Amino acid sequence: MIEDLPLRLSEDLEAAFPDVVGAYEAAVYSTALRMSGRPEDAADLAAEAFLRAYVALRAYSPARIGELQLRPWLLTIVLNLVRNEARAASRRPGQVPLADHHRPAPGETPEEGAQRHDGQARLGCLLGDLPEAQRTAVVLRHVVGLPYGELALAMGCPEGTAKSHVARGLRRLRALIPEENR
C-alpha cells in the first residue's frame, strides 16, 4: 500500500494525502521529537511538515509526484523545520517549561511508566549532546528506522557519510552512558 502512494498521489492528491499522513506520521513525529526534544514542539513541527508537504505537492507535476521517495522527502522537510525553529529560538528569550506529568501506558504500572519516562528523558538529553549531524543520523536510523539510502537522501549527503555519522554518533552515545547502565 505504501509503495503505490506516489502513484495514487499523482492521480488524486486530495484522496491519497490522508494515507500519506497515516503512513508516515509516526516517523515524522518521532524525528521532530528526538530532534527538538519537546513533545509540544514536535507535534507542531509534524503538523507544519505535513502542511508544507501538501502545499508543495499541489505545485508539483504528476510525473514529479510519481517519482518521489516520500519518507526521506518528508523527513527532509521536518529536519529543515527543526533547523529553522532552532535558529528562530536562538533569537528569542528562553522559556521555562511547566512541570511534566506523564501517565503510564495502558497495562503499565506507575513505576514502569516512570522508569520508561526516565529512560526516554535520559536518551533525549544524551542525544542533545551529540553534534547535529550525528544526532540526526542516529535518530533517523535507530529511532525512525530508515535504511541508509533513505537516510542519506533525507540528510542530503552520500550514503557513506550517513553511515559515518551514525557510527560516530553511536560511539559518542556509548561513551556518554555510564558503564552500569549499558
Side-chain angles (χ1 to χ4, degrees):
M1 176 130 171
I2 290 177
E3 298 81 27
D4 70 338
L5 269 176
L7 177 62
R8 291 186 325 168
L9 279 170
S10 68
E11 293 170 353
D12 188 357
L13 177 64
E14 281 73 24
F17 195 76
D19 293 336
V20 171
V21 174
Y24 298 112
E25 68 184 334
V28 167
Y29 176 78
S30 183
T31 301
L33 176 62
R34 293 297 173 210
M35 295 305 295
S36 72
R38 294 176 303 278
E40 57 279 356
D41 290 348
D44 291 344
L45 289 166
E48 180 69 19
F50 282 115
L51 175 62
R52 288 187 184 206
Y54 180 79
V55 170
L57 287 170
R58 290 182 51 92
Y60 288 2
S61 69
R64 184 174 180 188
I65 294 172
E67 295 173 359
L68 273 178
Q69 290 187 28
L70 288 171
R71 186 166 56 174
W73 180 71
L74 286 167
L75 294 178
T76 300
I77 293 171
V78 171
L79 294 173
N80 288 336
L81 286 170
V82 168
R83 284 185 203 106
N84 292 345
E85 180 60 29
R87 199 174 302 121
S90 71
R91 298 182 195 122
R92 294 190 298 260
Q95 296 179 354
V96 177
L98 298 174
D100 284 338
H101 297 288
H102 297 278
R103 296 177 190 203
E108 188 175 58
T109 67
E111 293 80 18
E112 291 169 340
Q115 287 176 339
R116 181 180 46 79
H117 172 66
D118 288 346
Q120 289 173 344
R122 274 194 301 266
L123 177 60
C125 288
L126 292 175
L127 284 170
D129 290 342
L130 294 178
E132 183 180 345
Q134 292 175 8
R135 180 176 66 241
T136 301
V138 168
V139 166
L140 293 179
R141 178 71 179 139
H142 292 286
V143 176
V144 177
L146 285 187
Y148 284 108
E150 289 184 23
L151 173 82
L153 281 174
M155 290 186 68
C157 65
E159 191 171 325
T161 304
K163 288 179 179 180
S164 171
H165 287 313
V166 171
R168 288 182 181 144
L170 290 175
R171 190 176 323 119
R172 194 173 220 155
L173 279 174
R174 285 185 193 105
L176 294 171
I177 297 172
E179 186 70 34
E180 65 274 3
N181 291 340
R182 288 188 196 169

